[in-house]
Coordinates of all heavy atoms in Angstrom, one line a residue:
I1 N 7.5 5.2 8.9 CA 7.3 3.9 8.4 C 5.8 3.4 8.6 O 5.2 2.8 7.7 CB 8.2 2.9 9.2 CG1 9.7 3.3 8.9 CG2 8.0 1.5 8.7 CD1 10.7 2.5 9.8
V2 N 5.3 3.8 9.7 CA 3.9 3.4 10.0 C 2.9 4.1 9.1 O 2.0 3.5 8.5 CB 3.5 3.7 11.5 CG1 2.1 3.2 11.8 CG2 4.5 3.0 12.4
R3 N 3.2 5.4 8.9 CA 2.3 6.2 8.0 C 2.3 5.6 6.6 O 1.3 5.5 6.0 CB 2.8 7.7 8.0 CG 2.6 8.4 9.4 CD 3.0 9.9 9.2 NE 2.8 10.5 10.5 CZ 3.8 10.8 11.4 NH1 5.1 10.6 11.0 NH2 3.5 11.4 12.5
T4 N 3.5 5.3 6.1 CA 3.6 4.8 4.8 C 2.9 3.5 4.6 O 2.3 3.2 3.6 CB 5.1 4.7 4.4 OG1 5.7 6.0 4.4 CG2 5.3 4.1 3.0
A5 N 3.0 2.6 5.6 CA 2.4 1.3 5.6 C 0.9 1.5 5.5 O 0.2 0.8 4.7 CB 2.8 0.5 6.8
V6 N 0.3 2.4 6.3 CA -1.1 2.6 6.4 C -1.6 3.1 5.0 O -2.6 2.7 4.4 CB -1.5 3.5 7.5 CG1 -3.0 4.0 7.4 CG2 -1.3 2.9 8.9
E7 N -0.9 4.1 4.5 CA -1.2 4.7 3.2 C -1.1 3.7 2.1 O -2.0 3.6 1.2 CB -0.3 5.9 2.9 CG -0.6 7.0 3.9 CD 0.5 8.1 3.9 OE1 1.6 7.9 3.2 OE2 0.4 9.1 4.6
A8 N -0.1 2.9 2.1 CA 0.1 1.9 1.0 C -1.1 0.8 1.1 O -1.6 0.4 0.1 CB 1.4 1.2 1.2
L9 N -1.4 0.4 2.3 CA -2.5 -0.5 2.4 C -3.8 0.1 1.9 O -4.6 -0.6 1.2 CB -2.7 -0.9 3.9 CG -3.7 -2.0 4.2 CD1 -3.5 -3.3 3.4 CD2 -3.8 -2.3 5.7
A10 N -4.1 1.3 2.2 CA -5.3 2.0 1.7 C -5.3 2.0 0.2 O -6.3 1.8 -0.5 CB -5.4 3.4 2.2
A11 N -4.2 2.2 -0.4 CA -4.1 2.2 -1.9 C -4.4 0.9 -2.5 O -5.1 0.7 -3.5 CB -2.7 2.7 -2.4
V12 N -3.9 -0.2 -1.8 CA -4.1 -1.5 -2.3 C -5.6 -1.9 -2.2 O -6.2 -2.4 -3.1 CB -3.2 -2.6 -1.6 CG1 -3.6 -4.0 -2.0 CG2 -1.8 -2.3 -1.9
L13 N -6.2 -1.6 -1.0 CA -7.6 -1.8 -0.8 C -8.5 -1.0 -1.7 O -9.6 -1.4 -2.0 CB -8.0 -1.6 0.7 CG -7.3 -2.5 1.7 CD1 -7.6 -2.0 3.1 CD2 -7.7 -3.9 1.5
G14 N -8.0 0.1 -2.2 CA -8.7 1.0 -3.1 C -8.6 0.6 -4.5 O -9.3 1.1 -5.4
G15 N -7.7 -0.4 -4.8 CA -7.6 -0.9 -6.2 C -6.5 -0.4 -7.0 O -6.5 -0.5 -8.3
T16 N -5.4 0.1 -6.4 CA -4.3 0.6 -7.2 C -3.7 -0.5 -8.1 O -3.6 -1.6 -7.7 CB -3.2 1.3 -6.4 OG1 -2.4 2.1 -7.2 CG2 -2.4 0.3 -5.6
N17 N -3.2 -0.1 -9.3 CA -2.5 -1.0 -10.1 C -1.0 -1.1 -9.9 O -0.4 -2.1 -10.2 CB -2.7 -0.6 -11.6 CG -4.2 -0.6 -11.9 OD1 -4.8 0.5 -12.1 ND2 -4.8 -1.8 -12.0
S18 N -0.4 -0.1 -9.4 CA 1.0 -0.1 -9.0 C 1.2 0.9 -7.9 O 0.3 1.7 -7.6 CB 1.9 0.3 -10.2 OG 1.6 1.6 -10.7
L19 N 2.4 0.8 -7.2 CA 2.5 1.5 -5.9 C 4.0 2.0 -5.7 O 4.9 1.3 -6.1 CB 2.1 0.6 -4.8 CG 2.1 1.1 -3.4 CD1 1.1 2.2 -3.2 CD2 1.8 -0.1 -2.4
H20 N 4.1 3.1 -5.2 CA 5.4 3.6 -4.7 C 5.3 4.0 -3.2 O 4.4 4.7 -2.8 CB 5.9 4.9 -5.5 CG 7.1 5.5 -4.9 ND1 8.4 5.2 -5.3 CD2 7.3 6.4 -3.9 CE1 9.3 5.9 -4.6 NE2 8.6 6.7 -3.8
T21 N 6.2 3.4 -2.4 CA 6.2 3.8 -1.0 C 7.3 4.7 -0.7 O 8.5 4.4 -1.0 CB 6.3 2.5 -0.1 OG1 7.2 1.5 -0.8 CG2 4.9 1.8 0.0
N22 N 7.0 5.8 0.0 CA 8.1 6.7 0.4 C 9.0 6.2 1.5 O 8.5 5.4 2.3 CB 7.5 8.1 0.8 CG 6.9 8.8 -0.3 OD1 7.4 8.8 -1.4 ND2 5.8 9.6 -0.1
A23 N 10.2 6.6 1.5 CA 11.1 6.3 2.6 C 11.0 7.2 3.8 O 10.6 8.3 3.6 CB 12.6 6.3 2.0
L24 N 11.3 6.7 4.9 CA 11.1 7.4 6.2 C 11.9 8.7 6.3 O 11.5 9.6 7.0 CB 11.4 6.5 7.4 CG 12.9 6.1 7.6 CD1 13.6 7.1 8.6 CD2 13.1 4.7 8.1
D25 N 13.0 8.8 5.5 CA 13.9 10.0 5.6 C 13.7 11.0 4.5 O 14.5 11.9 4.4 CB 15.4 9.5 5.7 CG 15.8 8.6 4.6 OD1 14.9 8.3 3.7 OD2 17.0 8.3 4.5
E26 N 12.7 10.7 3.6 CA 12.5 11.6 2.5 C 12.2 13.1 2.9 O 12.4 14.0 2.1 CB 11.5 11.1 1.5 CG 12.0 9.9 0.8 CD 11.0 9.5 -0.4 OE1 10.4 10.4 -1.0 OE2 10.9 8.3 -0.6
V27 N 11.7 13.3 4.1 CA 11.4 14.6 4.5 C 12.6 15.4 4.9 O 12.6 16.6 5.0 CB 10.4 14.5 5.8 CG1 11.1 14.0 7.0 CG2 9.8 15.9 6.0
L28 N 13.7 14.7 5.0 CA 15.0 15.3 5.4 C 16.0 15.3 4.3 O 16.9 16.3 4.2 CB 15.6 14.5 6.6 CG 14.8 14.5 7.8 CD1 15.3 13.4 8.8 CD2 14.8 15.8 8.5
A29 N 16.0 14.4 3.4 CA 17.0 14.3 2.3 C 16.6 13.2 1.3 O 15.5 12.6 1.5 CB 18.4 13.9 3.0
L30 N 17.4 13.0 0.3 CA 17.2 11.8 -0.5 C 17.3 10.6 0.3 O 18.1 10.5 1.3 CB 18.3 11.8 -1.7 CG 18.2 12.9 -2.7 CD1 19.4 12.8 -3.6 CD2 16.9 12.8 -3.5
P31 N 16.5 9.5 -0.1 CA 16.5 8.3 0.8 C 17.9 7.6 0.9 O 18.6 7.5 -0.1 CB 15.5 7.4 0.0 CG 14.7 8.3 -0.8 CD 15.6 9.5 -1.2
G32 N 18.2 7.2 2.1 CA 19.4 6.4 2.2 C 19.0 4.9 1.8 O 17.9 4.6 1.7
E33 N 20.0 4.1 1.7 CA 19.8 2.7 1.2 C 18.9 1.9 2.2 O 18.0 1.2 1.8 CB 21.1 2.0 1.0 CG 21.9 2.5 -0.2 CD 23.1 1.6 -0.5 OE1 23.4 0.8 0.3 OE2 23.7 1.8 -1.6
A34 N 19.2 2.1 3.5 CA 18.4 1.3 4.5 C 17.0 1.8 4.5 O 16.0 0.9 4.6 CB 19.0 1.5 5.9
A35 N 16.7 3.1 4.4 CA 15.4 3.6 4.4 C 14.6 3.2 3.1 O 13.4 2.8 3.2 CB 15.4 5.1 4.5
A36 N 15.3 3.2 2.0 CA 14.7 2.8 0.8 C 14.3 1.3 0.8 O 13.3 0.9 0.3 CB 15.7 3.0 -0.4
E37 N 15.2 0.5 1.4 CA 14.9 -0.9 1.6 C 13.7 -1.2 2.4 O 12.8 -2.0 2.1 CB 16.1 -1.7 2.1 CG 15.9 -3.2 2.3 CD 17.1 -3.9 2.8 OE1 18.0 -4.2 1.9 OE2 17.1 -4.2 4.0
T38 N 13.6 -0.4 3.5 CA 12.4 -0.5 4.4 C 11.1 -0.2 3.6 O 10.1 -0.8 3.8 CB 12.5 0.4 5.6 OG1 13.7 0.0 6.4 CG2 11.3 0.3 6.5
A39 N 11.2 0.9 2.8 CA 10.0 1.3 2.0 C 9.6 0.1 1.0 O 8.5 -0.2 0.9 CB 10.3 2.5 1.2
L40 N 10.6 -0.5 0.4 CA 10.4 -1.6 -0.5 C 9.8 -2.8 0.3 O 8.8 -3.4 -0.1 CB 11.7 -2.0 -1.2 CG 11.6 -3.3 -2.0 CD1 10.6 -3.1 -3.2 CD2 13.0 -3.7 -2.5
R41 N 10.3 -3.1 1.5 CA 9.8 -4.2 2.3 C 8.4 -4.0 2.7 O 7.6 -4.9 2.9 CB 10.8 -4.5 3.5 CG 12.2 -4.9 3.1 CD 12.2 -6.3 2.5 NE 13.6 -6.7 2.2 CZ 14.0 -6.8 0.9 NH1 13.3 -6.4 -0.1 NH2 15.3 -7.1 0.7
T42 N 8.0 -2.7 2.9 CA 6.7 -2.4 3.3 C 5.7 -2.9 2.2 O 4.7 -3.5 2.5 CB 6.5 -0.9 3.5 OG1 7.4 -0.4 4.5 CG2 5.0 -0.5 3.9
Q43 N 6.0 -2.6 1.0 CA 5.2 -3.1 -0.1 C 5.2 -4.7 -0.1 O 4.1 -5.3 -0.3 CB 5.7 -2.6 -1.5 CG 5.5 -1.2 -1.7 CD 5.6 -0.9 -3.2 OE1 5.0 -1.6 -4.1 NE2 6.2 0.2 -3.6
Q44 N 6.4 -5.2 0.0 CA 6.5 -6.7 -0.1 C 5.7 -7.4 1.0 O 5.2 -8.5 0.8 CB 7.9 -7.1 -0.1 CG 8.6 -6.6 -1.4 CD 10.1 -6.7 -1.4 OE1 10.7 -6.7 -0.3 NE2 10.7 -6.9 -2.6
V45 N 5.7 -6.9 2.2 CA 5.0 -7.5 3.3 C 3.5 -7.4 3.0 O 2.7 -8.4 3.2 CB 5.3 -6.8 4.7 CG1 4.3 -7.2 5.7 CG2 6.7 -7.1 5.1
I46 N 3.0 -6.3 2.5 CA 1.6 -6.2 2.1 C 1.3 -7.2 1.0 O 0.2 -7.9 1.1 CB 1.3 -4.7 1.6 CG1 1.4 -3.8 2.8 CG2 -0.1 -4.7 1.0 CD1 1.2 -2.3 2.4
M47 N 2.2 -7.3 0.0 CA 1.9 -8.2 -1.1 C 2.0 -9.7 -0.7 O 1.1 -10.5 -1.1 CB 2.9 -7.9 -2.2 CG 2.8 -8.8 -3.4 SD 3.9 -8.4 -4.8 CE 5.5 -8.8 -4.0

């Protein structure tokens, strides 16, 4: 979660036009609903 937040913030500061944030469990399986929501909320907090 922390890694994704740092990477997403770097992308925004670098001027990205759109963004996808990975879910915390993608290294293990397809994202679960809770993990996907956290990934979405990461973007929304930044925004």
Side-chain angles (χ1 to χ4, degrees):
I1 299 173
V2 182
R3 294 186 178 101
T4 295
V6 171
E7 292 164 356
L9 182 59
V12 173
L13 294 175
T16 193
N17 301 108
S18 60
L19 183 63
H20 172 90
T21 38
N22 288 327
L24 68 98
D25 55 357
E26 285 190 37
V27 71
L28 299 166
L30 291 173
E33 287 188 354
E37 182 177 279
T38 299
L40 174 62
R41 295 292 181 255
T42 300
Q43 287 201 45
Q44 291 169 333
V45 168
I46 292 173
M47 178 177 67

